[in-house]
Amino acid sequence: MPAYHSQFTTAPQVVGNMALLPIRTQFKGPAPRDSSEQDIVDEALLFFKANVFFRNYEIKSEADRTLIYLTLYITECLKKLQKAKSKNEGLKEMQSLAISKFSIPGEGQFPLNAMYSKPANRQEEDTMRAYIQQLRQETGARLVEKVFDPETDKPSKWWMCFAKRKFMDKSLSGPGQ
């Protein structure tokens, strides 16, 4: 069975070689606002449980690079949410993770430098960093809504069981974190 790929094959804008796609968000950033039913964040959350089992992933478009980053970020989020006891605590964890220091393609600590090209100039680098931060904020907020049961205010074991999985044997955090 092949991995799921993004349906957004034509990106309105590309930063490095990563698609800068419109998203439905309340967070500020360079991504255009979207009002459609499904955006790249929804797609990443929908395909996460299936894609996380793959060791290899064939990139078919720039949007797939965005999907890969989001899949790895969802894994990091689930690791943080394991410690959260309630939805409010989970939201705080996600917000702090989203705005914490992170590396982008071209920097030494970025785990997928072989698949991503570094930004061409300083302006593109700033745009990529702002876009990734906007994606991180929106993904964390939507993930909390999916993971926490509104009745019990506890995390779903059907989501938390994926916290230890590594997509493509990669992790956005360093070893031991």
Side-chain angles (χ1 to χ4, degrees):
M1 183 176 134
Y4 289 99
H5 294 275
S6 179
Q7 68 182 3
F8 304 103
T9 53
T10 55
Q13 189 178 351
V14 176
V15 182
N17 62 352
M18 185 174 168
L20 197 148
L21 298 164
I23 56 175
R24 285 187 338 268
T25 185
Q26 71 266 19
F27 299 102
K28 72 177 178 105
R33 298 272 190 259
D34 187 20
S35 59
S36 65
E37 277 294 308
Q38 190 174 22
D39 62 7
I40 189 71
V41 176
D42 291 325
E43 200 173 60
L45 291 168
L46 178 68
F47 295 154
F48 173 76
K49 290 180 182 180
N51 280 352
V52 77
F53 288 104
F54 289 95
R55 289 180 174 279
N56 300 314
Y57 189 88
E58 180 187 359
I59 297 172
K60 294 187 176 179
S61 70
E62 284 80 12
D64 282 343
R65 286 184 179 85
T66 306
L67 191 65
I68 289 170
Y69 184 86
L70 288 174
T71 302
L72 291 171
Y73 182 67
I74 291 168
T75 305
E76 296 304 311
C77 290
L78 290 174
K79 287 179 193 174
K80 288 281 188 188
L81 288 175
Q82 281 182 318
K83 300 174 185 109
K85 303 283 187 249
S86 68
K87 185 176 176 180
N88 281 340
E89 199 176 314
L91 282 169
K92 288 178 188 172
E93 285 285 337
M94 291 302 93
Q95 187 58 27
S96 69
L97 180 62
I99 62 174
S100 65
K101 185 175 179 345
F102 58 91
S103 53
I104 63 170
E107 294 179 352
Q109 305 87 349
F110 191 72
L112 299 167
N113 274 330
M115 290 182 212
Y116 292 76
S117 64
K118 71 182 207 176
N121 54 41
R122 180 70 180 168
Q123 181 186 3
E124 205 172 89
E125 183 180 325
D126 292 341
T127 303
M128 181 181 274
R129 189 172 299 281
Y131 178 59
I132 290 175
Q133 181 162 358
Q134 187 179 17
L135 283 173
R136 289 165 65 106
Q137 289 173 315
E138 189 60 38
T139 303
R142 290 192 205 173
L143 185 63
V144 167
E145 294 300 321
K146 286 195 174 289
V147 168
F148 283 89
D149 183 3
E151 294 171 14
T152 63
D153 203 31
K154 299 280 186 240
S156 164
K157 67 179 181 180
W158 303 114
W159 272 96
M160 300 318 292
C161 66
F162 290 95
K164 292 200 180 348
R165 291 236 133 293
K166 281 189 172 182
F167 177 54
M168 298 171 43
D169 281 334
K170 302 283 184 195
S171 173
L172 290 179
S173 61
Q177 291 181 348

